[in-house]
Amino acid sequence: MISDNIVSIKNKIDEAASASPYGQDVCLIAVSKTKPVSDILEAYDSGIRDFGENKVQELCDKYDKLPEDIRWHLIGHLQTNKVRFIIDKVCLIHSVDSLKLASTIEKYAAAADIVVDILIQVNISHEDTKFGIDRSELVSMLRQISQMEHIRVRGLMTIAPYCEDPEESRPVFRELRNLSIDIDALKIDNIHMDILSMGMSGDFTVAIEEGSTMVRIGTSLFGSRNYNH
Ligand SMILES: *Cc1c(COP(=O)(O)O)cnc(C)c1O
């Protein structure tokens, strides 16, 4: 049952948060990609309001069918030609990984007269994941984004490479947190480091111990995904 899974995940989140030296609040994002509207409603009825999708089309389809008070998070790679479809539907874009994408978001946000919250996706490990910017490019990119009036950078996101043992991901999470502290210390206009989006089903407790403020959980909450339908 989805509601039982949520209870168990929330307990683990609370436990990890009390073990964390940073005393942060942790937001649970239910990653509903490939899952039907009925599953999302079940999670909604258990009190979940933050949902993550990785495809623009799927997010838009579900957006129209589900309650208005859901906060939609775009967590997957975003192509510039799709930005306009989601610009006024999402509360946070986790996966900004190029200046070109940021400029496109700025353009459509300006046209809609809104300010869009984003995270920068950083590729810490250079394994598995092909998306995310290299840490060496981060500061120069942030300085340019800080000029964009319709974008507010709220923090960083990363995906740790899949490991059997989540302890192996700990250095990745620690490095992202250290990076966010270094950036915060630069006091760049318009750049905030209050969100660290890190941790998925396999590694979220370790991520929280390392300071995560947003965990993106799919499989442990909704069950395994079937991509062949
Ligand atoms: C699918 C996905 C998740 C959730 O992964 P699970 O292992 O199913 O919890 C988290 N983050 C991103 C970016 C994803 O695409």
Side-chain angles (χ1 to χ4, degrees), residues 31 33 54 75-76 157 159 200-202 216-220 225:
V31 176
K33 62 190 186 199
N54 67 342
I75 61 173
M157 180 272 230
I159 302 174
M200 315 188 352
S201 290
R216 311 176 306 267
I217 301 184
T219 310
S220 296
R225 288 179 290 273

